[in-house]
Amino acid sequence: MPLVVQKYGGTSLGNAERLQNVAHIIANTVKQHKVIVVVSAMSSYTKAEGTTSRLLEAGNLAINGGPFFRVLDLVEQSHFKALEEAISDTVIMEEVKEYIHEELRSLKAFLEAIHVIHEISPRSQDLIIGTGERLSARLLSGVLKSYGIDSTYTDLSQCVEENLSPNNGEFYSLCQQAFRKKLPENQNDVPVMTGFFGFVSGGIINRIGRGYSDLTAALIAAEMQAEELQVWKEVDGIFSADPRKVPTASVLDAISPSEAAELTYFGSEVLHPFTMERAIQSKVQIRIKNTFAPEKPGTLILPEGLDEESQSKRIQLKRTAIAVTTKNNIQTLNINSNRMLHSSGFIAKVFDAFRHHGVVIDLISTSEVNISCTVNDPDELDDLTRDLEELGTVTVLGERAILSLVGEGMRTTPGTAGKMFSALAEEGINIEMITQGASEINISCVILQSQTSEALKAIHRAFLENQ
C-alpha cells in the first residue's frame, strides 16, 4: 500500500474529543494506506496555553526562582484529563498516565537544578520543550491502541548527534537516516513519532523555529518517498486571503511550491519553509487539511508546479494572482546620505551593519542617495540605528505592514502592478515602498498597518473575486 505521512498540530490534539477525532482520521486512512504519524505538543486554541509555551514558562520561572512546579502541574492535569476521557481501556490508560507522570517528574528534577544555578543553555531549553511532544505522542498512541489500531510510540529525541548544526551540509540526510532506523519492525504498526528530534546546536527553536515538527514530518516523508505529506491544521487549507479579514476569501485547491514559499515568508502561516524545501526536493506532494473537517479536500502543494488542470482552471477564471497576504508589525528604516553618490562601499557598509546586529531585511529599495528597507526585529533596532547614523541620516517608522500579491500568472501578465496600485489608491491607501521579487510572482508594498484590512479587501476584489 502507498505511504502517507500525517503531521498533526498541537491544536488538533488539544483535548480528548480532538484526540478521538484524530484517531478516527487515522483509522480511516489505514484502510487504504500505510501511515506514519508525527505530532506537535498538545495545545488549546491559544499558544499561551499550549504545552510548549507552558514548558518554556516553567523554564523561565526556574531561572528566576519562581514556582515552576505549578506550571508543570497544570501540564500534567491537562494531559491526565484528556487521557481519562479519551481512553476507555483502563490498562492502557494507566500505562499512559504512568509515563506522563514519570516524564514530568524527571523534568521537575531537572528544573530544580536550573533553579539552583539560575542559568539555562540552548541544550537545556531543548530538553525542556522536547517533553511536550513525548507526552502527546505517547498519549495519541494510547488512544489508537484503545481503538484497536496497532500503534508504536516512537521517541525521536535522541536522533540528532549532539551539537550538530543545521548549517552542516549533511544535517538533513543524517536526520532522515536516523528517523528511518526508529521505525517499528512491524510494518503494520502505525508509528506515532515525536516532532522533537534532538539537541540542535544553538537550540532547536532558535535555529529552526517553533515549526520544527513540520520539518520532522517532511524529512520522514522525503526519506520514505511517501505518496503524500498531510499537514493537519484547524483550517480548511490555504486561503486566497485571511478569512478573518476578508469574508469572501476562498480555499485554494492547488498551488506551486514557489507560491507557497512566498505566502509563507510574507505573512500567511502556510508551512515551515524548511518543510516545503525538503518535501518538494524529494517530489513529495503536500496537502493542507482541516482536522475538524476531514471530508474537505484541502490545498495541494504540487512538487513539480501546477498541472494542466490547475493551469486551465486559473486561465478560465482569469486568475493572474492567487492570494494576497500581509506581514504586520513591520518597521521601515530609511538611510539618506549625499555621500552615497558614487560611493561603491556605502551599500556594503549598510549591509554589514545589519549582519553585525543579526537583523534580517524583508524588502529593500535604493536610489542614488537613499536606502529604504523593512525589518521586524525591534530588539536590535536601537543599536543598529546608532551604527547606521555614522553613514547618514536615519529615519525609523513603525506600525507598518507589508502587503504582498502572489501568483504564477503575474510573470506573463502586463499591468498587474498598475492594477494593484490603482485598487489601493481608490481606497485612499498610501504606498510608502514598492518591490517586486526576483521570482516575478510577488509584488509587495509597504502600507500603514491600520489600513491592512481595507487593503486586503480592495486587492481581493480586484484580483481574486469573479467580476
Side-chain angles (χ1 to χ4, degrees), residues 11 45 145 149 178 199 279 303 333 337 403:
T11 306
Y45 278 108
K145 285 180 179 178
I149 299 171
F199 305 115
L333 270 74
S337 175
L403 177 75

Side-chain angles (χ1 to χ4, degrees), residues 266-416:
F266 286 100
S268 180
E269 294 186 5
V270 179
L271 276 180
H272 193 289
F274 291 165
T275 299
M276 285 187 291
E277 179 183 336
R278 303 312 300 179
I280 296 304
Q281 282 182 359
S282 298
K283 308 300 182 186
V284 176
Q285 67 181 20
I286 306 171
R287 191 182 296 274
I288 314 296
K289 285 181 68 70
N290 191 344
T291 315
F292 307 118
E295 72 282 357
K296 295 184 178 181
T299 300
L300 196 61
I301 303 174
L302 299 164
E304 298 184 11
L306 299 177
D307 53 25
E308 285 189 18
E309 181 182 353
S310 299
Q311 290 177 346
S312 298
K313 186 175 181 180
R314 288 192 185 182
I315 292 171
Q316 187 177 11
L317 293 171
K318 297 181 180 179
R319 288 288 190 264
T320 301
I322 52 98
V324 59
T325 187
T326 55
K327 189 172 186 177
N328 296 328
N329 302 313
I330 295 296
Q331 293 176 300
T332 62
L333 270 74
N334 296 290
I335 307 107
N336 186 280
S337 175
N338 290 327
R339 290 173 290 167
M340 180 180 177
L341 190 63
H342 306 306
S343 174
S344 59
F346 182 87
I347 293 179
K349 291 178 182 178
V350 170
F351 287 153
D352 189 59
F354 278 93
R355 180 198 59 77
H356 176 72
H357 292 284
V359 176
V360 177
I361 297 173
D362 290 320
L363 303 179
I364 185 167
S365 65
T366 66
S367 68
E368 284 193 332
V369 296
N370 190 80
I371 295 177
S372 296
C373 56
T374 63
V375 300
N376 59 356
D377 187 356
D379 294 338
E380 296 289 332
L381 203 54
D382 290 341
D383 292 338
L384 171 62
T385 301
R386 280 193 290 271
D387 284 356
L388 291 174
E389 284 173 344
E390 296 180 7
L391 303 174
T393 303
V394 179
T395 305
V396 180
L397 300 173
E399 298 182 0
R400 265 52 179 178
I402 297 173
L403 177 75
S404 298
L405 182 66
V406 174
E408 294 273 4
M410 291 161 55
R411 283 181 176 148
T412 56
T413 308
T416 303

Side-chain angles (χ1 to χ4, degrees), residues 68-85:
F68 62 86
F69 53 89
R70 293 180 184 172
V71 178
L72 296 186
D73 286 343
L74 286 175
V75 172
E76 185 172 77
Q77 289 166 17
S78 64
H79 284 75
F80 278 4
K81 185 175 188 296
L83 74 88
E84 288 168 358
E85 294 176 358

